[in-house]
Amino acid sequence: MDVFLSYAHEDAAWVRRLAGGLSRRGLRVFFDEWDVLPGDVVVHRTDAAIGDAACAVVVLSPASAVSPRALEEYAALATAGATRDLRFIPVLIGDAALPPFAANRVWRDFTNVDGWEYEAKVEELSTVIRGEPVAALPGGSGTPPEENLAAALPSPPRPLTAPDRPAFVLCYAPADAAYGAALAEQLRTAGLTVWSAADLRPGDSQFWTIRRELSFAAAVVVLMSPHSQDSDDITSMILEGILHQRPFFPVLLEGRRNYHLAHTWYVDARDGRLLRPAELDLLRELDAARDPGLPGTPSPAFPSPSAHPTVGAVRVPPASSLERLDAYLGAGELAHADLQTTAAVLEAADRLDEGWAGARHLRAVPSSVLAGIDAVWADHSHGRQGLRAQAALARVRRARHADFLALSLACGWRSAAEAAVPLRYRDFTDLAGPGPRTGFFPTLRNPQNELFLDWYDQWTATVLAVHLHPWDERNHR
């Protein structure tokens, strides 16, 4: 059986039309009106069909949310999706909330859809069910469906296996999709493998798929604009790339540079141009140098950020930074919260472009900024993490390496005074698992600086400057 259709009987007329459309496209469809015969035990027939199906389309509506039969089928299909990787495609036809398992899958909205748009969506479903590549929807402009990035759930805990060929992951907001599609075509024509959220197929688990592609990316190509700066999805993708220390290749389309990429060389494409031959050659060098089996593989260095006239980075108010920090901690994304914390401190010190800050830079930072950061960390960890918790473990009294070393040992950043700090940021943050290292976060470590030989000195200076700042008088008595 190619596809099992699950629905509430109140939606039978709508599903009958869908079943016919899929069947006309050559698919073997299990639709109970056609396949449950007189004398069949319905539950046994349904269980067998679920076991045989290669794919399931679950029609979600206000009726299905309260239908005992539909809810039982949903539970069985969710289990099959988790245990045997059944492709589970949620289809929305009314004003209904997506159940958690469905919300973490790429879904399609058929609400009030008819005519060519309906037929195009049915054609997309049939193509995915057959396991074929999905072409752009007819009549569209290449904009990735908003459903592809609609969920905001943390990725499920599953191993990140390398894709067949690591790609240049293209990150852009829907408003920048026209340029994104043109750039993707240029890169593919140049012989490079490209992936973006537009390549998510119905039924894919968004966050696991996106996280896998970013973890092994040959480079992360970010289209910088006011739209992408304001997008939580694009920000999360940037942080995931930073976390795995992937090389970044930002392209400025409009406005100022992205808050999290201020210390990164970029292509200025505000005139709407695509990449020049020399810029394509940089990507080819990255593609040739990458090791597909190892996230964080060193790669050719890009030109200095000062290689062309600098466009300033976006300024993010402290309140907005704290809101995003609170959201990451609430979702359990500790490493993302750590990166957000470092960016917030550097922003307040006007040192985003440099990627680190010393004591003289922190003098102008209001105490309220550091106090706010500490309060968010403390609130989510019951006081076990944050700047004040770290100061209680090992107080920094002077700007000297001995004080930094003592703090590193107390926070769990190193196992012994003579032990080397893990080079890769991802390995470093993995040390913060269950155990006594309650003060591990925030680290104030900037993985983007770790391509430079003096990154450790810069990290040391930033940590000492923050801990010597008199934001909390109790730490300096």
Side-chain angles (χ1 to χ4, degrees):
M1 191 69 63
D2 291 317
V3 58
F4 179 96
L5 296 182
S6 177
Y7 66 99
H9 277 302
E10 291 85 345
D11 303 318
W14 191 93
V15 178
R16 192 177 302 120
R17 181 187 178 193
L18 176 64
L22 296 175
S23 182
R24 285 192 300 274
R25 288 166 170 83
L27 295 172
R28 295 165 296 172
V29 179
F30 182 89
F31 177 42
D32 60 358
E33 286 188 5
W34 301 346
D35 296 288
V36 178
L37 304 175
D40 284 347
V41 178
V42 176
V43 66
H44 293 168
R45 185 74 182 90
T46 300
D47 285 346
I50 291 174
D52 290 341
C55 181
V57 171
V58 181
V59 179
L60 300 172
S61 71
S64 71
V66 295
S67 166
R69 171 181 168 278
L71 292 173
E72 286 180 3
E73 288 184 358
Y74 169 81
L77 291 167
T79 299
T83 58
R84 67 177 181 87
D85 205 25
L86 172 78
R87 182 167 289 277
F88 180 106
I89 305 176
V91 166
L92 193 63
I93 65 169
D95 186 15
L98 287 168
F101 186 84
N104 198 36
R105 298 275 168 161
V106 176
W107 46 273
R108 285 296 177 259
D109 191 351
F110 276 75
T111 305
N112 300 322
V113 170
D114 210 344
W116 74 263
E117 189 177 1
Y118 173 85
E119 293 298 330
K121 290 200 171 207
V122 175
E123 180 64 29
E124 183 195 25
L125 282 180
S126 65
T127 302
V128 169
I129 292 166
R130 286 193 297 267
E132 299 171 357
V134 178
L137 294 181
S141 63
T143 302
E146 291 184 3
E147 298 98 314
N148 277 6
L149 290 172
L153 299 176
S155 61
R158 51 193 297 189
L160 292 174
T161 55
D164 293 338
R165 180 173 176 80
F168 288 90
V169 177
L170 187 54
C171 305
Y172 56 88
D176 301 321
Y179 184 95
L183 179 59
E185 181 61 25
Q186 183 190 29
L187 298 185
R188 291 188 176 108
T189 300
L192 302 173
T193 302
V194 181
W195 188 93
S196 75
D199 296 306
L200 286 167
R201 302 188 304 160
D204 283 347
S205 176
Q206 297 104 310
F207 281 87
W208 178 80
T209 305
I210 292 170
R211 181 160 283 181
R212 181 186 69 164
E213 294 292 341
L214 286 166
S215 299
F216 294 92
V220 183
V221 181
V222 181
L223 303 191
M224 298 189 294
S225 72
H227 312 291
S228 63
Q229 177 68 54
D230 293 338
S231 168
D232 289 338
D233 293 314
I234 301 303
T235 300
S236 293
M237 294 174 78
I238 291 171
L239 291 179
E240 190 68 21
I242 293 173
L243 175 62
H244 291 281
Q245 292 181 271
R246 308 318 297 146
F248 278 85
F249 193 93
V251 178
L252 180 64
L253 298 185
E254 181 186 353
R256 300 170 73 83
R257 290 180 296 141
N258 187 282
Y259 174 63
H260 286 287
L261 300 175
H263 191 39
T264 306
W265 175 85
Y266 64 97
V267 171
D268 191 344
R270 287 175 294 169
D271 57 0
R273 70 174 179 86
L274 292 175
L275 301 186
R276 296 187 175 114
E279 293 158 353
L280 284 172
D281 286 342
L282 281 173
L283 293 179
R284 290 191 182 97
E285 287 183 39
L286 282 172
D287 195 44
R290 62 172 169 72
D291 180 344
L294 182 61
T297 302
S299 55
F302 287 131
S304 164
S306 60
H308 53 66
T310 299
V311 176
V314 169
R315 302 305 300 264
V316 176
S320 299
S321 291
L322 291 180
E323 287 177 8
R324 191 159 271 171
L325 173 61
D326 184 67
Y328 289 137
L329 288 173
E333 296 281 5
L334 295 182
H336 286 193
D338 189 42
L339 295 170
Q340 178 66 34
T341 297
T342 302
V345 170
L346 296 178
E347 158 76 1
D350 196 22
R351 294 285 291 178
L352 276 174
D353 286 350
E354 292 74 18
W356 68 280
R360 68 184 185 279
H361 310 119
L362 266 290
R363 291 190 190 112
V365 174
S367 296
S368 59
V369 172
L370 299 181
I373 289 170
D374 178 71
V376 177
W377 277 100
D379 182 60
H380 283 276
S381 65
H382 304 287
R384 292 191 298 271
Q385 292 177 331
L387 302 175
R388 186 177 296 160
Q390 291 176 354
L393 295 173
R395 186 164 297 171
V396 173
R397 300 185 184 278
R398 286 187 290 174
R400 57 181 186 176
H401 185 260
D403 286 47
F404 176 74
L405 187 61
L407 185 66
S408 296
L409 289 167
C411 293
W413 297 342
R414 59 182 358 119
S415 58
E418 65 278 6
V421 176
L423 179 60
R424 294 195 303 170
Y425 180 77
R426 171 78 270 181
D427 296 337
F428 177 72
T429 57
D430 282 346
L431 295 175
R437 302 180 181 91
T438 56
F440 192 94
F441 287 115
T443 71
L444 301 171
R445 182 169 162 176
N446 181 2
Q448 289 180 290
N449 272 17
E450 292 171 17
L451 292 174
F452 310 122
L453 294 177
D454 57 349
W455 72 268
Y456 181 87
D457 294 335
Q458 293 174 353
W459 178 38
T460 301
T462 304
V463 170
L464 291 174
V466 168
H467 277 272
L468 286 170
H469 189 287
W471 69 272
D472 183 359
E473 293 181 358
R474 286 176 290 179
N475 293 339
H476 298 274
R477 288 174 183 167

